[in-house]
Amino acid sequence: MPASDYIVTIGLEVHAQLTTQSKMYCGCKVGYGAPPNSQTCPVCLGMPGAMPTLNEAAIEKTVLTGLMLGCENPEISKWDRKNYFYPDMPKNYQLTQFDLPLCEHGSVPLYDHCYPKDVQKDIPRPGYAVKLTRIHLEEDVGKSTHHEKNTTIDFNRAGTPLMEIVSDPDIRTGEEAFAYLNSLRQILIAGGVSDADMEKGQMRCDVNISLRKTEEEPLGAKIELKNLNSPAAVRRAIHYEIDRQSTELDAGTPQVQCTRRWDDDLGESTVMRSKEDAHDYRYFPEPDLLPIRTAPIVEAMKKLVPELPHEKSQRFVTDFGVTEYDASVLSSDKHLATYFEQAATGAKNTKLVANWVLNDLLSALKESFTEIQDSTQVPAENLRALVDLIESGKISGKQAKNDVFPAMLETGKTAGDIVKEKGLEQVSDTGALEAFCDQVIQENEAIAADVRSGNEKAANALVGRVMKLSKGQANPKVVIGILLEKLK
Amino acid sequence: MAAAPESDLDIRYVADLARITLTDEEADTLGGQLEKIISYVKQLEALDVSGIEPTAHATPLFDIVREDTVKPSIGVDATLANAPQKTTDQFLVTKVVE
């Protein structure tokens, strides 16, 4: 049967590094770029007898994430040891949470604009929110570098607070997985809990995927995919996996539970380990850490829940009258949203401000490889002033685009100053314009007569002549008004 | 002395999980000892705990946390001082690829 007839069931496990100063169980500094093994101590090196302590901020940020995603919290939360041997994990166990995680249930809303561009017009489950199983708080491992004959290990990253967000098997396509990751990222950034950049390893994703033929059948063998470094890679890996599994199932080859490694350059996955090597982690409660009562933390974090991207988006529609799509893009990035809000507040035409931000400003920033928060040439109030000049007829949209905005980007000056310097101000002074109009009507009697007899379109030809007389500085809207009045 | 009671203990599996290689003789000795430990601890199963609230920890204390402040690390030299094998700034191990 065709791949599209199989029922695909997908669950995602996302690890996000939290934005804390220090590590999860010790005071070593968190962050990149330090010389190898310089941000380590007996706790994160797993020395015998070293005692871990819980980082309060990491717990708070995890609880805040739970609040943003509508999770519940067990009354008591505790930590457990997950035993396994791997050189990047010096204690030979990971300190994580097993049966009492900080957060349970909740969901991640899939925002329309977070889907891949090519499918945004055809979303099978619009407005769907993917259910979550749990969110728990654990620690990252060290960084291994594999060489020809050996492996070297840097433990600076070991012990970095890591939040694991586990979804229910509630995702059906690679596109939903793509939207899930982008939506989740926007929410984590809005809450200031993680920078969540997959390409920088601040957010990582494992995919579990299985296929079956009918709803009545139990779920198919679960295949885990690893080494996925971007939402686009996740999407590609899922497509590949659906094709691979359906082809094998069609050929009568049953699927066996295993872990596969995705190679994004080759566009294929290979078996990493089979079910026979599945880990037996022998979890047991961590005796050196005491449990946490969640209620007071939840209470304290409620005050810190930010306006989420979809709430901001709705407000932009209501307050500024922009389209739902524009609003969703404008609210997708914290800094972009702040810029737009500053520019649109008090503007004469807020929709036009949105157009300028989304088109002219963003493409200019893209060309100069600048992030909106780092750009200083066109502050929000200057963009608002530019749009106000267009709106009030002082300059035309064309002049703004071709002459004024490029000069603003180049010089950092205000639109008003540039208009004055370049002598671009449109002539809206009716006295001067009436004289031009009279002259043009006199010189073009035939056209004037045509307009008088009711052919208003013919007036456009006269407008062109007035524009010429005014050396392009007349405001065409005002000119046509005067001409039609005179030729009634 | 009575023989150790039957249990589900698979000494070979446990040794494998712990990355320990055992001779047949060691497996017999350690297996027997572990069986005894387990049967000793199993006496706890005789206790009636039906009316007792479960606890997450044996110590009745909660919420022991520290502030998120950075403390000095011990430095590269101290970090690598005990390493059986090292480069100038990293731990060196047998090649592992998973």
Side-chain angles (χ1 to χ4, degrees), chain A residues 383-396:
Chain A
L383 190 79
R384 183 201 313 131
L386 172 72
V387 176
D388 281 352
L389 285 176
I390 304 167
E391 188 57 20
S392 61
K394 296 250 166 57
I395 54 173
S396 68

Side-chain angles (χ1 to χ4, degrees), chain A residues 50-173:
Chain A
M51 294 291 271
T53 48
L54 293 168
N55 183 334
E56 187 177 28
I59 295 172
E60 289 172 346
K61 283 170 194 281
T62 304
V63 169
L64 177 59
T65 304
L67 282 169
M68 292 192 291
L69 299 175
C71 298
E72 292 157 28
N73 311 88
E75 193 184 329
I76 300 288
S77 182
K78 75 169 184 34
W79 276 261
D80 303 87
R81 294 186 182 182
K82 177 182 178 179
N83 298 282
Y84 70 95
F85 289 84
Y86 205 70
D88 60 12
M89 183 74 258
K91 295 192 292 291
N92 294 335
Y93 58 83
Q94 183 187 30
L95 254 179
T96 180
Q97 300 195 280
F98 184 53
D99 57 330
L100 292 172
L102 280 166
C103 311
E104 291 177 313
H105 313 302
S107 61
V108 173
L110 303 183
Y111 300 144
D112 287 3
H113 67 274
C114 287
Y115 278 85
K117 284 235 155 46
D118 53 301
V119 300
Q120 282 178 2
K121 290 214 164 62
D122 189 21
I123 296 169
R125 296 196 282 178
Y128 193 72
V130 172
K131 289 180 216 57
L132 294 179
T133 309
R134 55 187 274 152
I135 305 175
H136 64 257
L137 181 53
E138 56 186 34
E139 59 180 327
D140 210 341
V141 296
K143 188 180 186 320
S144 308
T145 312
H146 304 294
H147 308 280
E148 180 98 20
K149 291 206 171 88
N150 50 43
T151 295
T152 51
I153 302 174
D154 168 11
F155 285 113
N156 283 351
R157 194 180 66 185
T160 297
L162 206 58
M163 178 170 69
E164 181 170 343
I165 302 165
V166 184
S167 87
D168 282 357
D170 192 26
I171 296 170
R172 293 181 187 169
T173 63

Side-chain angles (χ1 to χ4, degrees), chain A residues 437-452:
Chain A
C437 289
D438 287 338
Q439 189 184 334
V440 168
I441 290 171
Q442 224 172 1
E443 290 169 6
N444 301 278
E445 264 308 328
I447 303 175
D450 197 10
V451 179
R452 272 201 196 88

Side-chain angles (χ1 to χ4, degrees), chain A residues 80-390:
Chain A
D80 303 87
R81 294 186 182 182
K82 177 182 178 179
N83 298 282
Y84 70 95
F85 289 84
Y86 205 70
D88 60 12
M89 183 74 258
K91 295 192 292 291
N92 294 335
Y93 58 83
Q94 183 187 30
L95 254 179
T96 180
Q97 300 195 280
F98 184 53
D99 57 330
L100 292 172
L102 280 166
C103 311
E104 291 177 313
H105 313 302
S107 61
V108 173
L110 303 183
Y111 300 144
D112 287 3
H113 67 274
C114 287
Y115 278 85
K117 284 235 155 46
D118 53 301
V119 300
Q120 282 178 2
K121 290 214 164 62
D122 189 21
I123 296 169
R125 296 196 282 178
Y128 193 72
V130 172
K131 289 180 216 57
L132 294 179
T133 309
R134 55 187 274 152
I135 305 175
H136 64 257
L137 181 53
E138 56 186 34
E139 59 180 327
D140 210 341
V141 296
K143 188 180 186 320
S144 308
T145 312
H146 304 294
H147 308 280
E148 180 98 20
K149 291 206 171 88
N150 50 43
T151 295
T152 51
I153 302 174
D154 168 11
F155 285 113
N156 283 351
R157 194 180 66 185
T160 297
L162 206 58
M163 178 170 69
E164 181 170 343
I165 302 165
V166 184
S167 87
D168 282 357
D170 192 26
I171 296 170
R172 293 181 187 169
T173 63
E175 289 65 36
E176 285 187 353
F178 184 100
Y180 176 95
L181 290 167
N182 283 324
S183 303
L184 180 61
R185 170 163 197 255
Q186 288 180 9
I187 293 168
L188 297 181
I189 291 172
V193 298
S194 174
D195 294 326
D197 190 334
M198 282 188 81
E199 271 149 46
K200 288 183 184 157
Q202 295 159 336
M203 186 162 119
R204 286 164 250 158
C205 173
D206 297 336
V207 171
N208 288 303
I209 174 168
S210 70
L211 266 59
R212 58 183 161 156
K213 285 180 175 158
T214 61
E215 294 281 358
E216 289 69 43
E217 279 177 50
L219 287 176
K222 187 170 81 174
I223 311 294
E224 184 176 12
L225 300 175
K226 283 187 175 288
N227 195 38
L228 301 159
N229 299 321
S230 68
V234 168
R235 183 189 184 194
R236 283 190 285 271
I238 289 173
H239 279 271
Y240 174 88
E241 194 56 26
I242 293 171
D243 283 347
R244 189 191 67 78
Q245 286 190 35
S246 59
T247 306
E248 289 193 4
L249 289 169
D250 284 346
T253 313
Q255 295 300 296
V256 181
Q257 185 180 334
C258 69
T259 302
R260 300 179 68 93
R261 172 192 291 276
W262 174 249
D263 185 321
D264 204 40
D265 293 327
L266 294 179
E268 60 185 43
S269 65
T270 45
V271 175
M272 230 167 108
R273 55 171 182 255
S274 63
K275 193 188 177 184
E276 287 72 52
D277 318 318
H279 292 300
D280 178 351
Y281 294 119
R282 305 261 157 149
Y283 282 95
F284 65 87
E286 166 60 49
D288 293 339
L289 291 174
L290 291 159
I292 290 291
R293 285 177 291 211
T294 57
I297 307 167
V298 172
E299 214 39 56
M301 287 303 107
K302 275 184 184 162
K303 297 179 196 92
L304 299 183
V305 175
E307 185 180 38
L308 294 178
H310 62 280
E311 295 164 341
K312 204 185 274 293
S313 175
Q314 203 45 56
R315 188 167 57 81
F316 284 176
V317 172
T318 315
D319 291 2
F320 299 120
V322 298
T323 64
E324 295 219 354
Y325 185 81
D326 284 356
S328 68
V329 179
L330 288 164
S331 56
S332 65
D333 177 283
K334 206 168 153 177
H335 302 290
L336 179 63
T338 307
Y339 184 96
F340 168 70
E341 195 160 1
Q342 281 173 1
T345 304
K348 290 193 169 86
N349 183 340
T350 49
K351 273 183 168 174
L352 195 55
V353 171
N355 287 346
W356 271 84
V357 171
L358 291 174
N359 300 322
D360 305 84
L361 182 72
L362 284 189
S363 49
L365 290 174
K366 205 171 171 186
E367 266 171 38
S368 61
F369 299 99
T370 316
E371 299 288 336
I372 194 158
Q373 64 269 29
D374 304 327
S375 132
T376 49
Q377 290 301 83
V378 185
E381 58 270 24
N382 288 8
L383 190 79
R384 183 201 313 131
L386 172 72
V387 176
D388 281 352
L389 285 176
I390 304 167

